[in-house]
Amino acid sequence: MTADLSTPSATLTLNVGLGERAYDIHVGPDALTAGLPGIQAACPRGQTLIVTDEHVAERHLERLQARLGEVGIRSTALILPPGETSKSWEMLQFLTEAFLDAGLERKDSVIALGGGVIGDLVGFAAAVAKRGLGFVQMPTTLLSQVDSSVGGKTGINTRQGKNLAGAFHQPRLVVADAGFLSTLPDRELKSGYAEIVKAALIGDADLFDRLEAHGASVTQPDILKTAIAAAIDFKARIVEADEYEAGKRALLNLGHTFGHAFEADAPKDVIRHGEAVAAGMGLAFEYSTRLGLCPAEDTARVRAHLRTVGLPDHPKTLAHTDWSAESLVARMQDDKKNSGGEITLILARGIGNAYIEPKADRADLTDFLTTELT
Ligand code: GLY
């Protein structure tokens, strides 16, 4: 994907090449129209169940049901309470049984209309019901369009932590319609933009150059939509190479080991996921520079771009600032991608050149965080 970010693009169709689990991703201003034939194919009996939340239903459900009706698909909607608390065992049971009560068969698909919470939960229930129904991801937030809707990670939270029960279950189709983003609050949009920067920092230095060249205007719709497609395409290639995260897919966790620790240590709902990831990426680059791996100039560019677009570039610029290095490192120790009791960190040798460090030095990390946070 090398599109010029300043050129408004039409709707694009990308593909995740996973053999019999391959699927298309329609992205752009009229992705829903482009996706209708794929939805028909995913719903061969002309019926579906749409699962969404109260906020999204208010804004987008009627239009979606009308468009489905135009192509002969009957739909019923299940409207859940919004928020992370819906990613629960209770809701998983409720949805799985609702899918069974509706008489859905394996060849049928349900539609997940919403952000990451809806996509993760519905995808998991679809994986469980009859050992695997189809599902269509229809992400309505920037974060879910560029990250969670692609790649088949589904799951719920348990009392031990976030996303600790789940399944890899690929959707049959992803419809990332730019129209859904027009109603997103600015803070939500910026939070999602952090995941676009992440894709560039992991492995696409040219994309970072192009994002950086647009400065603060990069989150304007025309520029953003090509950046969204570039980030989705980047993720699709990683998922193709490592569907089950045995290796390089872990790179997608850049900024997340620090970020999850910030989310876990901050009071509930004070910081957004993308903000925590942005601050985490700033720290991952700082730490890479401290280890002598990454030029200081690259780290300065990363942090400057995050600040330019109005994202935090460091935990001290998050909405919560009262951090303890020991507590953060303890949280990082609990991260689910760790192995053998070691902390796995995604670090960088420069912009567009991230790598997996499977054994971060805990004492050095604590020292680094103590220095950064005082
Ligand atoms: N969100 C990271 C992944 O899908 O692997």
Side-chain angles (χ1 to χ4, degrees):
M1 175 67 53
T2 52
D4 174 357
L5 297 189
S6 62
T7 309
S9 62
T11 298
L12 291 172
T13 300
L14 308 170
N15 185 265
V16 188
L18 288 173
E20 60 185 19
R21 292 180 309 291
Y23 53 96
D24 284 338
I25 304 164
H26 300 288
V27 51
D30 212 4
L32 180 52
T33 304
L36 286 174
I39 300 175
Q40 283 177 298
C43 305
R45 295 195 297 155
Q47 65 180 61
T48 189
L49 224 157
I50 301 167
V51 186
T52 189
D53 72 29
E54 286 155 12
H55 292 156
V56 177
E58 219 171 86
R59 295 178 179 99
H60 306 297
L61 183 59
E62 204 177 301
R63 174 170 81 103
L64 173 61
Q65 291 196 287
R67 297 303 309 275
L68 294 175
E70 285 165 20
V71 295
I73 301 173
R74 294 182 311 284
S75 60
T76 5
L78 281 175
I79 302 175
L80 310 183
E84 192 74 27
T85 47
S86 285
K87 278 176 68 172
S88 63
W89 291 111
E90 292 73 21
M91 214 42 105
L92 175 70
Q93 179 179 357
F94 169 77
L95 275 192
T96 306
E97 291 182 351
F99 296 169
L100 299 176
D101 285 342
L104 295 175
E105 299 178 2
R106 283 183 177 169
K107 61 174 177 276
D108 297 323
S109 297
V110 294
I111 297 178
L113 173 72
V117 167
I118 289 290
D120 286 5
L121 171 68
V122 174
F124 192 21
V128 169
K130 297 196 171 168
R131 296 206 182 97
L133 304 177
F135 81 114
V136 172
Q137 285 276 24
M138 212 169 275
T140 57
T141 62
L142 183 53
L143 196 90
S144 57
Q145 291 201 353
V146 297
D147 189 35
S148 58
S149 66
V150 176
K153 278 190 183 174
T154 71
I156 55 167
N157 304 327
T158 72
R159 70 180 164 75
Q160 291 81 2
K162 280 179 75 170
N163 299 325
L164 290 182
F168 284 97
H169 184 50
Q170 300 294 341
R172 288 193 183 152
L173 183 72
V174 180
V175 177
D177 194 297
F180 293 134
L181 306 180
S182 60
T183 53
L184 277 190
D186 188 55
R187 189 172 172 194
E188 193 69 50
L189 199 75
K190 284 186 175 143
S191 172
Y193 177 73
E195 299 280 357
I196 297 181
V197 178
K198 181 192 80 176
L201 295 179
I202 292 169
D204 191 342
D206 285 351
L207 176 60
F208 186 79
D209 289 348
R210 286 177 283 138
L211 297 174
E212 189 184 40
H214 284 285
S217 66
V218 75
T219 53
Q220 297 303 308
D222 272 355
I223 299 161
L224 191 60
K225 65 190 173 199
T226 317
I228 293 171
I232 294 177
D233 195 52
F234 179 82
K235 176 157 187 187
R237 304 289 81 81
I238 291 203
V239 170
E240 277 174 359
D242 180 21
E243 183 179 4
Y244 298 111
E245 202 169 280
K248 73 185 280 194
R249 184 164 178 171
L251 290 172
L252 295 171
N253 291 311
L254 176 66
H256 283 63
T257 312
F258 288 115
H260 286 152
F262 301 144
E263 285 179 276
D265 265 10
K268 200 170 163 292
D269 295 333
V270 170
I271 55 177
R272 300 286 162 96
H273 176 67
E275 295 165 354
V277 168
M281 292 191 296
L283 271 194
F285 269 78
E286 282 296 348
Y287 192 49
S288 303
T289 296
R290 168 176 156 126
L291 295 176
L293 297 163
C294 177
E297 183 198 326
D298 283 26
T299 296
R301 278 179 68 197
V302 171
R303 293 189 56 184
H305 180 62
L306 294 171
R307 284 195 305 274
T308 301
V309 297
L311 277 166
D313 64 327
H314 190 276
K316 281 183 172 171
T317 55
L318 282 163
H320 174 81
T321 51
D322 183 18
W323 307 110
S324 133
E326 286 74 20
S327 169
L328 290 171
V329 172
R331 299 280 191 187
M332 292 168 81
Q333 188 84 58
D334 288 342
D335 197 281
K336 63 181 168 307
K337 63 186 178 304
N338 291 339
S339 130
E342 305 286 351
I343 296 178
T344 299
L345 267 187
I346 312 305
L347 299 176
R349 297 192 174 89
I351 289 170
N353 190 8
Y355 76 99
I356 302 163
E357 169 49 69
K359 284 186 184 183
D361 179 333
R362 194 187 153 114
D364 190 54
L365 198 53
T366 309
D367 185 58
F368 164 71
L369 284 171
T370 306
T371 312
E372 290 293 323
L373 297 172
T374 45

